Amino acid sequence: MKTIFCLLLFGYSVCHLSSQPNCNVYLWEGDTIQYEACKLSHNFKYIYQFETRAIALLDSCISICPYYAFAYYEKAVPFLKAGNPIEWDKNINLAVKYDPITYLGTRASCRGKFFADYDGAIRDIDSLSLIINGDIGYTHDGTYHLEMYKGLCYKAKGDFQKSIEIIERFINSHPSDIGFYDFLHLGVAYQETGNHNMAIKYFLKQQEVNDIAENRFYIAKSYLHLKELSNFHISIKKAKEKIKQNQKMNNKYHVLEDEIFEQDVFKLQNDSMLK
Amino acid sequence: MKYGLLSITVLILANISCTTSQSPALRWVEDIPFDPAVDNPNFELCFGEDHAIQYYRVSNNTGSKHNKPKFVSFIEEQTKSIKFKNESGYIRVRFIVNCKGEADRFRILESSLDNKPKSFSKQTSEKLLKVIKAIDKWHTGNNMTKTDFYLYVLFKIVDGKIVKILP
């Protein structure tokens, strides 16, 4: 029941993150041009974002208010989902230009996730930290806190030590913001540095928060390295079971950082026989 | 009378010319209409042009995401003998997969690493296109979700090396 509630809350939060702006805010600020563009953009929710008439509607909003960031952001999204870096970048940059507080974090995580542009993502997160006093918020899909995501970007760049520093600092300072996969990534970063005891510590923590095939797989790897064969066999068996039950990382757009596949498990098993 | 007929003829011809020179309006951005100059005329969509959707709406494991390690190994194997020039940027190959897992209408988009249009050497992009075209069967999800869909493969290339294959 608790899990269902959390999932519903998470789903609601994600929907809320990508929702349309409250037009009255612009009216209260005396910005009637942006208010008019915003009112028109409410029709956008009835049109599929890839449709050319959706783009035409957003262009109409922009012609009313050339600094209406939401319209640029929504124009960028279908290109992002189609893997088009040129059109995505052109539009999201304008969204960031006109509303950096709302869209810098989004650009950061999309740069990392969709284009493996980890340096760009880190730059955006740092820029956001400079203009926000307090919490910088979450990635575009709500999976990670942006401070955690910065650590993940360093990990993807191969700078595991820096990644560990950032993620541990985040976990210690934001205990209530720890995400579904944070301990897993930290464990993998430790594993990459050869510190298997610390890696195991965090895989076991991940097991408590969200026990998926990935933490069982990576813990098996560390057990194998430490020659704890009994634990290795238990973990690898569990990883296989969890893959079969689809209790694993999954995302409809992309393969995620540290996500594993059945083939990875078989390969690790074969490697263990060779040792 | 003679001038009247001539005028009508000119108007009709002008109208035909206008009609034929206009490309049909796209249904969606990033749609790929059939181009007889480059596309396979025998490639068929199972459910028609208007029903092809984006890959991520089919299921969670379509295309390259179905078995990413296997896909990446295949690309690495196929490209290991290729000598890329010392270039950097993104090369996106976008195409349509029909419900039988066959692919066609391949299109290439090239950009710099800072997302500006750029042209790679023809040798680089054509070789990558050839590798993608060599995949004769794409994963289409389970039987319940059989459909035609748009898919892409994005190569991030740094100093002539493929450093990431997305999505």
Side-chain angles (χ1 to χ4, degrees), chain B residues 67-103:
Chain B
N67 187 341
K68 184 87 180 266
K70 191 177 165 192
F71 182 75
V72 171
S73 303
F74 172 79
I75 300 288
E76 283 170 352
E77 183 63 31
Q78 296 296 309
T79 54
K80 72 179 178 192
S81 60
I82 299 176
K83 288 253 183 292
F84 290 116
K85 288 193 173 172
N86 195 28
E87 298 172 290
S88 298
Y90 294 104
I91 295 183
R92 182 195 71 170
V93 183
R94 186 167 157 85
F95 49 95
I96 308 181
V97 178
N98 69 14
C99 69
K100 294 177 235 166
E102 303 158 342

Side-chain angles (χ1 to χ4, degrees), chain A residues 50 82 84 115-116 252-253, chain B residues 29-30 55 65 90 92 156:
Chain A
F50 267 81
N84 181 335
F115 300 108
K252 62 182 182 174
Y253 298 106
Chain B
V29 290
E30 297 279 341
Y55 72 96
K65 291 199 300 133
Y90 294 104
R92 182 195 71 170
K156 183 176 181 181

Side-chain angles (χ1 to χ4, degrees), chain B residues 142-154:
Chain B
N142 59 44
N143 285 333
M144 296 290 286
T145 58
K146 288 273 182 226
T147 186
D148 307 315
F149 59 93
Y150 283 93
L151 185 62
Y152 74 87
V153 179
L154 184 73

Side-chain angles (χ1 to χ4, degrees), chain B residues 4-72:
Chain B
L5 276 175
L6 187 64
S7 306
I8 289 166
T9 313
V10 167
L11 280 173
I12 289 169
L13 285 174
N15 188 35
I16 289 169
S17 165
C18 284
T19 313
T20 50
S21 67
Q22 273 179 345
S23 52
L26 287 183
R27 169 193 64 149
W28 293 348
V29 290
E30 297 279 341
D31 266 3
I32 308 173
F34 173 69
D35 179 352
V38 286
D39 296 331
N40 175 6
N42 298 319
F43 174 73
E44 283 181 350
L45 296 179
C46 306
F47 302 101
E49 298 284 333
D50 288 346
H51 293 92
I53 60 177
Q54 307 301 324
Y55 72 96
Y56 58 83
R57 301 193 78 182
V58 183
S59 79
N60 275 0
N61 63 351
T62 43
S64 58
K65 291 199 300 133
H66 174 56
N67 187 341
K68 184 87 180 266
K70 191 177 165 192
F71 182 75
V72 171

Side-chain angles (χ1 to χ4, degrees), chain A residues 82-269:
Chain A
N84 181 335
I86 300 170
E87 291 300 320
W88 141 259
D89 197 62
K90 202 164 73 185
N91 288 293
I92 194 68
N93 288 351
L94 287 165
V96 169
K97 179 182 172 186
Y98 296 122
D99 188 354
I101 290 176
T102 304
Y103 295 110
L104 259 172
T106 297
R107 188 174 69 179
S109 52
C110 290
R111 275 179 162 173
K113 184 177 176 184
F114 285 82
F115 300 108
D117 176 10
Y118 305 113
D119 289 320
I122 292 167
R123 272 199 310 275
D124 279 349
I125 294 170
D126 288 343
S127 302
L128 186 62
S129 303
L130 290 176
I131 57 171
I132 284 191
N133 280 329
D135 199 296
I136 55 172
Y138 297 84
T139 52
H140 65 282
D141 54 6
T143 309
Y144 300 105
H145 191 279
L146 283 167
E147 286 183 26
M148 169 67 206
Y149 192 70
K150 185 175 163 181
L152 199 52
C153 287
Y154 276 105
K155 178 177 162 297
K157 275 161 57 74
D159 191 342
F160 301 112
Q161 207 51 55
K162 182 127 187 165
S163 167
I164 289 168
E165 280 168 35
I166 293 172
I167 298 176
E168 283 192 329
R169 197 187 318 133
F170 164 72
I171 283 173
N172 292 329
S173 60
H174 293 71
S176 55
D177 281 331
I178 294 169
F180 284 150
Y181 312 123
D182 295 359
F183 289 127
L184 170 76
H185 298 307
L186 182 55
V188 176
Y190 267 116
Q191 191 170 65
E192 291 284 349
T193 63
N195 190 340
H196 291 277
N197 288 319
M198 284 300 278
I200 289 170
K201 175 188 159 183
Y202 284 113
F203 294 138
L204 290 173
K205 282 200 171 204
Q206 177 67 39
Q207 200 173 307
E208 288 168 24
V209 176
N210 181 23
D211 189 10
I212 48 177
E214 278 77 6
N215 59 286
R216 298 290 185 159
F217 168 80
Y218 288 106
I219 203 170
K221 248 177 134 172
S222 281
Y223 283 137
L224 182 62
H225 190 87
L226 297 172
K227 298 196 170 38
E228 293 185 31
L229 294 183
S230 167
N231 280 332
F232 165 76
H233 288 298
I234 293 168
S235 302
I236 205 82
K237 189 175 168 225
K238 201 76 188 169
K240 272 196 214 166
E241 282 171 18
K242 287 195 170 284
I243 286 183
K244 282 213 164 54
Q245 293 158 1
N246 207 23
Q247 291 175 12
K248 66 184 287 296
M249 295 177 104
N250 214 336
N251 180 271
K252 62 182 182 174
Y253 298 106
H254 270 257
V255 171
L256 300 170
E257 292 290 331
D258 301 325
E259 182 176 343
I260 60 153
F261 293 81
E262 206 165 26
Q263 186 173 325
D264 297 310
V265 179
F266 290 136
K267 188 173 178 300
L268 183 61
Q269 253 185 330

